[in-house]
Amino acid sequence: MNLKTLNYIRNKAQLQDLYLNQIPERVLEREINDILKETRTGVPMGMRHQAKALLTHEIIIFIDRNGTPDGYLLSEELEIKLNKYRDRLTRNKLLQWEFERTNKTE
């Protein structure tokens, strides 16, 4: 099977088109809105749901949680950003674990 290279996703509609055969539409919409809720904390709820454009960081979070869309391979740039995001998550988890461990011994 020939995989297409995924270079970018700019908006909700593109993201939904890529994942609709993998994830039910309601679940897909809920997942996107959950990510927007996490990343756009200063934006009122109604405006978050109306947002059409997505930030690359939000796309990376979605790909991390749901995998690469069927039939696609991430571009080198997206792959690098995904790996950096995963590294950051791992470091944050390690720091949290170390903090909790330190507080238990005091």
Side-chain angles (χ1 to χ4, degrees):
M1 177 165 99
N2 253 352
L3 297 177
K4 299 176 194 173
T5 301
L6 183 61
N7 292 303
Y8 60 86
I9 302 169
R10 302 225 190 269
N11 56 48
K12 283 182 181 180
Q14 288 176 333
L15 186 65
Q16 289 173 327
D17 287 344
L18 288 168
Y19 284 90
L20 205 51
N21 65 338
Q22 294 170 248
I23 303 171
E25 188 173 2
R26 278 190 169 156
V27 175
L28 189 54
E29 288 173 1
R30 189 174 339 117
E31 179 74 20
I32 293 168
N33 287 328
D34 286 348
I35 291 169
L36 292 177
K37 187 177 180 181
E38 294 169 20
T39 59
R40 300 183 186 193
T41 56
V43 177
M45 181 68 89
M47 290 180 72
R48 273 187 237 140
H49 290 292
Q50 298 301 318
K52 293 187 184 341
L54 296 173
L55 301 172
T56 302
H57 180 71
E58 294 161 345
I59 301 296
I60 293 300
I61 294 170
F62 189 90
I63 292 172
D64 181 58
R65 293 179 182 176
N66 298 286
T68 304
D70 289 344
Y72 286 88
L73 180 66
L74 295 180
S75 68
E76 185 176 340
E77 179 184 358
L78 286 178
E79 191 68 44
I80 289 168
K81 289 180 180 189
L82 180 61
N83 288 332
K84 284 182 180 180
Y85 172 75
R86 288 177 174 162
D87 288 345
R88 206 171 330 127
L89 275 181
T90 302
R91 277 195 311 269
N92 288 344
K93 286 180 184 178
L94 287 173
L95 286 171
Q96 181 67 30
W97 177 79
E98 184 64 30
F99 177 75
E100 289 171 1
R101 193 178 70 121
T102 304
N103 283 343
K104 285 182 181 177
T105 59
E106 291 179 0

